[in-house]
Each structure stands twice: as C-alpha cells, then as structure tokens.
Amino acid sequence: MKAAAFAYARATSVVNALELLAVHGDKAKVLSGGQSLMPAMNLRLLSPEILVDIGGLAELRGIAMRGDVLVVGALTRHVDLLRSPEIALHAPLLRDAVSHVAHPAIRNRGTIGGSLAHADPASELPACVVVLDATIVACGSTGERRIAATEFFKGIYETALSPDELLVAIEVPVTGQGSTFFFQEYARRHGDYAIVGLAARAVVAAGRFSDLRLGFFAVGDRPLLAAAAGKLINASVKPGLLAEAATALTNELDPQEDQQATAAMRRHLATVLLRRCVADLLARPELATGVVK
C-alpha cells in the first residue's frame, strides 16, 4: 500500500513549525526521522493532510549537561545516543535500550523525540524515560511546558501533546553514583518488535534495594511503571517475597493478544524478566563494594 495524498511543508525554525501546526491542527503530522510515521502512513493507519518536516532544525539536536540535568534534543538520532559519552556516563539505560531498536538503517535516521511522540507501546525508549523520571519539554503557541514522562503517555500512539505543540527536548535528571541499570527484552529476532521488555533503575545497599523502578513495555497500551517493585524495596529478597512481587506484577498487567504472543505468554515473560532483573542486580559484584561504574 501507499500513503494517501498529503501536502508537505519544510519548517525553517521551531517558530515556523509551530505556526504551521497552529494553522493545520490535528490535520498535520510532524516528520522528524520518519521511521515510524512513514510505514504507518503507507499502511493507511495515519492519513494526515500535511506533513510538517522538522528534520532540518539543528537547534533541536544535541546532548548537553545543564547543572544536574542531561538535556537531549528531540532530533537527536538513535545512533547519537549510542555514541554519546554523556549518555554512557549519565544515562546508560538509553544506550542499552537503543541497541535493541530495529536495525542500523533505522537507528541512523530515527530520533528520540520521534520515538516518544509516536508512543508505540512496544517501543523501548518510552519505558526508559519513565524509569529515568525524565521530563518531556513541549513548545506551543503559549510557550514551553514540561510534562513528567510518567504523565506523557496516554495510550496506543497517544500522548499528552496538543495538536499545536512540538516536542523539543527531553530532560533526564542525573542519578546518584549508586544507581545501576538493567535492560532486556524478548523478541523473535534481534531488532523485531518486542514481545515483552523491561527497563530498570535501582540503588542497592547491603544486598537490598533502597530504590527500584521497573518499566515494562509491550504489556499494555503504554509503558508500565510497576507498583510491584515497592514490595522489594528495603526488604531481604527471598524466594517467597519474589514470588509475591511476581504475582502482584501479573495483576497489574493488561497485555493484548496478537500474532506475536498471547496475553498469558506476555504475563509469564514479564515475571521471568522481573526475576532475571532482580537476580542480576543483586548479584553484581560492584554493588557489594558500593562502587558502580
């Protein structure tokens, strides 16, 4: 199939892009990397009347530290996240997740802002920004507003962005030295859509979690920050407690059944990832010394 007919406008600045969005409203779609948008249009899942291309806006690219916050421009490509020393040092979870995103050709064109705005529930990066307690910076006709990542994703392909707003940056608070991370997903082949995935951030002291954030994806209509993680904080993680947390997790999940997996299979794989994550984090030798690299 091919996309329905549409008009095209190449924005010359953020201000120009916002002017175009103000005129066309929900009849417009923003084109950044296009790696998710164009296939959806070709399948007639989306049929915008006009594409507003922001791909040439250099002001929306780049990664920089501002105080204790890592600021990532919306047009920063996946491959730049993989190569960035700032990401490796301050937000390695993003680097680990991006290595699972599709294939090199997609990573070379896709952008972090495009991935977040597309809000595919099987996507890796939305779960990561929720786990990292990031803030999404949006710009509209009335100025900037900041949206907590935990409040940004509203459903399948649905976010808190208004039709006249543009996602311009992601702000990631720098975690303390004691933080460590886990990322893993199940997919039929590397680069395929995830069947179930987990992004996690933890602080471990004396063999216990003093903090634990578990962000599951491909298990519902948006990333899930699992409340079940609370059962494992400030507690000795024994088999009985872990089983209790796994049961609580399955009760939280609302996975969909599709050609890749049944709902029951997704629930099972999510609990497997929970157990694997906990075992991996608690077994890391560097955590026993209190030094996390």
Side-chain angles (χ1 to χ4, degrees):
M1 293 181 67
K2 295 294 183 182
F6 59 89
Y8 172 86
R10 188 171 179 83
T12 57
S13 66
V14 170
V15 171
N16 180 228
L18 293 176
E19 290 172 345
L20 291 166
L21 293 177
V23 170
H24 297 284
D26 58 9
K27 297 178 181 179
K29 280 290 182 183
V30 174
L31 174 66
S32 52
Q35 302 306 295
S36 299
L37 176 61
M38 298 312 297
M41 290 177 60
N42 287 339
L43 291 171
R44 303 292 178 98
L45 298 175
L46 296 172
S47 297
E49 292 185 4
I50 183 170
L51 289 186
V52 177
D53 186 351
I54 63 171
L57 303 185
E59 61 196 290
L60 297 185
R61 300 190 192 281
I63 301 165
M65 285 296 303
R66 295 180 187 168
D68 58 356
V69 174
L70 183 65
V71 182
V72 183
L75 291 187
T76 302
R77 300 193 190 281
H78 298 325
V79 68
D80 298 323
L81 298 175
L82 278 172
R83 296 171 178 171
S84 166
E86 292 86 1
I87 293 292
L89 181 62
H90 299 295
L93 184 63
L94 293 176
R95 176 202 59 197
D96 295 344
V98 167
S99 67
H100 290 79
V101 173
H103 304 285
I106 302 298
R107 295 194 291 268
N108 287 339
R109 291 291 302 170
T111 65
I112 184 171
S115 177
L116 300 183
H118 188 58
D120 188 328
S123 182
E124 295 84 355
L125 293 179
C128 289
V129 297
V130 167
V131 164
L132 293 172
D133 203 19
T135 298
I136 310 301
V137 184
C139 194
S141 57
T142 59
E144 281 190 353
R145 70 180 179 117
R146 284 166 166 76
I147 309 163
T150 51
E151 302 296 327
F152 184 73
F153 303 100
K154 298 298 185 181
I156 298 176
Y157 309 131
E158 183 183 358
T159 72
L161 287 174
S162 300
D164 63 345
E165 285 185 313
L166 187 65
L167 194 163
V168 296
I170 302 92
E171 297 176 340
V172 181
V174 174
T175 56
Q177 187 177 4
S179 293
T180 189
F181 305 92
F182 175 92
F183 185 91
Q184 194 170 107
E185 67 178 42
Y186 287 111
R188 298 199 178 278
R189 297 173 300 177
H190 184 82
D192 283 2
Y193 281 106
I195 297 173
V196 176
L198 171 60
R201 186 190 81 190
V203 177
V204 180
R208 297 188 179 200
F209 293 110
S210 60
D211 187 30
L212 179 64
R213 292 172 68 89
L214 302 173
F216 288 89
F217 56 98
V219 294
D221 65 356
R222 70 198 78 180
L224 171 70
L225 189 62
K231 292 184 175 294
L232 304 174
I233 295 174
N234 296 322
S236 178
V237 181
K238 303 295 184 182
L241 181 62
L242 189 54
E244 185 180 331
T247 299
L249 174 64
T250 59
N251 292 333
E252 285 187 74
L253 300 178
D254 185 23
Q256 300 299 307
E257 186 165 329
D258 56 27
Q259 293 180 338
Q260 289 210 94
T262 64
M265 180 180 178
R266 284 195 160 95
R267 285 192 173 92
H268 171 69
L269 291 177
T271 62
V272 171
L273 282 177
L274 169 66
R275 293 174 182 274
R276 185 168 294 177
C277 172
V278 169
D280 178 87
L281 293 174
L282 292 178
R284 292 183 185 182
E286 66 269 23
L287 296 179
T289 65
V291 178
V292 179
K293 297 180 180 180

